[in-house]
Amino acid sequence: MSNPDELLVGISALVESGQSNRMSLTVVAGGAVITGRLAPEAVWRERVSEVLKDSDHLGAFSGVFLVDRPQDRTGSADPDGSAGPDGRGGAPTHLHFHLARILQGNVGIPETGGMYRVAITDVSAWTVGDFSYSDH
């Protein structure tokens, strides 16, 4: 298992603590380039749940995203970032993108942006900011 990038963990922790959704980031994970804005995990889960709930075919899955939300976790992290007494808490392990696109050639998929969850340990390269393409 690879070690998580400390800078990405710090960025993710700030997004989580500040409940901000304004941090733009572009990452390479598994060969895919993903660009968008980070969201706190709880906000991301709630939004995915809302989208699924409104679907005739996928509504049954909406509740999965509301189980064990970060604010429901009772374990607190030690100052060194390790897990709390229940094995949870500590440093973030995933980036939660919203308004995100997978870049393929000169196209972002989907055009309107999607919701992606990426393990920090899977990120092989990253930069602050997002990429946009113009037809001009």
Side-chain angles (χ1 to χ4, degrees):
M1 181 193 312
S2 64
N3 292 326
D5 184 312
E6 292 177 16
L7 289 172
L8 274 181
V9 171
I11 289 169
S12 184
L14 280 173
V15 169
E16 290 295 329
S17 68
Q19 299 295 302
S20 171
N21 63 359
R22 303 296 296 170
M23 181 60 178
S24 296
L25 197 68
T26 299
V27 301
V28 177
V33 178
I34 302 170
T35 189
R37 290 198 319 214
L38 295 179
E41 182 179 354
V43 172
W44 184 88
R45 284 176 174 253
E46 187 173 312
R47 180 67 183 125
V48 172
S49 177
E50 288 171 3
V51 170
L52 291 173
K53 185 173 58 175
D54 293 340
S55 169
D56 292 335
H57 302 289
L58 301 174
F61 292 96
S62 69
V64 171
F65 290 87
L66 299 179
V67 175
D68 194 32
R69 292 181 291 177
Q71 68 265 26
D72 296 337
R73 298 177 186 166
T74 58
S76 59
D78 292 333
D80 67 355
S82 61
D86 67 351
R88 297 184 184 164
T93 58
H94 291 78
L95 302 170
H96 295 87
F97 285 92
H98 71 117
L99 301 174
R101 296 171 317 282
I102 296 175
L103 302 181
Q104 179 69 35
N106 63 351
V107 177
I109 305 166
E111 287 183 21
T112 57
M115 307 290 283
Y116 297 101
R117 176 179 162 112
V118 177
I120 292 173
T121 56
D122 289 342
V123 175
S124 59
W126 61 275
T127 188
V128 172
D130 66 350
F131 290 108
S132 321
Y133 288 106
S134 171
D135 292 336
H136 302 129

